[in-house]
Amino acid sequence: MATNAAGVRRHDRWRDIRASERRPTMSEAAQLRDVKLGVVRENWTNAGPVVSQMPDQDLNLLRERAAATIADPSALGLWGFATGTWMAATVLGGFVEPLASWSLAPTVILFAGIAQFIAGLYAFRRTNALHATAFTCFGAFNTVAGIMLTIPFQATRGMTPGYHLMLGFLLESFAFISLALMVGALRRNAVLTLLLGALFIGYCLTGIGQFTIGNAAAIVPAATASGAHAGAAGAAGNGPGVIAGIGGGFLWLSAICAYYLGAALLVNSTWHRRVLPIMGEP
């Protein structure tokens, strides 16, 4: 028995020595040759493009080390995004009275705005460019949107048409950002792709709703201050319309996906296995 055990140990040592002496593959040999020659190569990573002489193995090691030294902020960012999107959809879709929108501002600014933006900064440190860009962009957007919600809708002079037009432009701008992020998310997982796809449609449709209100208010004659107030109130009374209501529904769908994805990332990390599926990589 002792002889057999010694033979097994010698075999294991010989196998380890042979593995350490493994010849590099053609790709690895080419990369080592480039390093010796000082050739600078372009590498596309989760952190973005990296122009360096380092081999892919060294770049991957640096990325993994950065991810292992900082806790994942994705759950915080996703839940902040979901809460802000859910609450904003009630106003942009016309499901609540505009006068009640100011009460949403604190949550949208602090949790959906500032907290999500901070999560994005930590995601940059973890070399996750997709999540970092999304969290910082939408965190800044929610901060701006929350401040805009504090503007009284029924002031002495009423809301000007420019308010709704500029809000519409803002929504359409972030619709494009959502579309670009969705294309990037196709490489990640299905839940994130659905989240950003629904967000793209929701921002497009609610932006159209704001354009509708702005154009309606712009053509209302207002000869006096009281006439301007009545015209603006009438335009606001028309509401965002059916299209914006459908867009609000898509924003709710995006928020539900964000709640689920944040829960999946947190639960799976805590249990050290995939408890909640996300149909792709984190």
Side-chain angles (χ1 to χ4, degrees), residues 38 46 52 67 100 108 113 144-145 195 224 228 245 266:
N46 289 340
S52 171
V108 174
V144 173
L195 183 161
T224 62
L266 187 64

Side-chain angles (χ1 to χ4, degrees), residues 81 129-131 133-134 138 174-204 250 254:
F81 164 83
L130 180 63
H131 285 190
T133 305
F138 295 129
F174 275 85
F176 169 78
I177 294 174
S178 303
L179 177 62
L181 291 170
M182 184 196 71
V183 175
L186 291 171
R187 183 67 173 77
R188 289 293 183 87
N189 60 74
V191 179
L192 184 59
T193 302
L194 177 61
L195 183 161
L196 293 169
L199 188 68
F200 162 67
I201 299 174
Y203 279 159
C204 280
F250 276 99
S254 178

Side-chain angles (χ1 to χ4, degrees), residues 153-278:
F153 273 72
Q154 299 294 335
T156 304
R157 296 178 57 190
M159 290 302 300
T160 62
Y163 171 87
H164 297 286
L165 293 177
M166 293 309 298
L167 182 57
F169 286 129
L170 181 65
L171 291 169
E172 298 301 336
S173 297
F174 275 85
F176 169 78
I177 294 174
S178 303
L179 177 62
L181 291 170
M182 184 196 71
V183 175
L186 291 171
R187 183 67 173 77
R188 289 293 183 87
N189 60 74
V191 179
L192 184 59
T193 302
L194 177 61
L195 183 161
L196 293 169
L199 188 68
F200 162 67
I201 299 174
Y203 279 159
C204 280
L205 298 182
T206 53
I208 293 174
Q210 293 300 314
F211 289 144
T212 302
I213 297 176
N215 291 331
I219 61 176
V220 175
T224 62
S226 60
H229 172 70
N238 292 332
V242 177
I243 294 179
I246 298 174
F250 276 99
L251 291 179
W252 281 344
L253 174 60
S254 178
I256 292 172
C257 292
Y259 278 127
Y260 174 82
L261 184 57
L265 294 177
L266 187 64
V267 170
N268 294 349
S269 299
T270 304
W271 286 84
H272 298 176
R273 60 188 177 89
R274 295 207 174 196
V275 179
L276 299 175
I278 59 175

Side-chain angles (χ1 to χ4, degrees), residues 114-160:
I114 297 176
Q116 186 183 179
F117 189 87
I118 294 174
L121 297 181
Y122 278 97
F124 276 120
R125 180 63 182 82
R126 282 177 56 91
T127 68
N128 191 338
L130 180 63
H131 285 190
T133 305
F135 293 154
T136 51
C137 285
F138 295 129
F141 168 76
N142 284 325
T143 302
V144 173
I147 294 174
M148 294 183 73
L149 290 176
T150 62
I151 300 176
F153 273 72
Q154 299 294 335
T156 304
R157 296 178 57 190
M159 290 302 300
T160 62

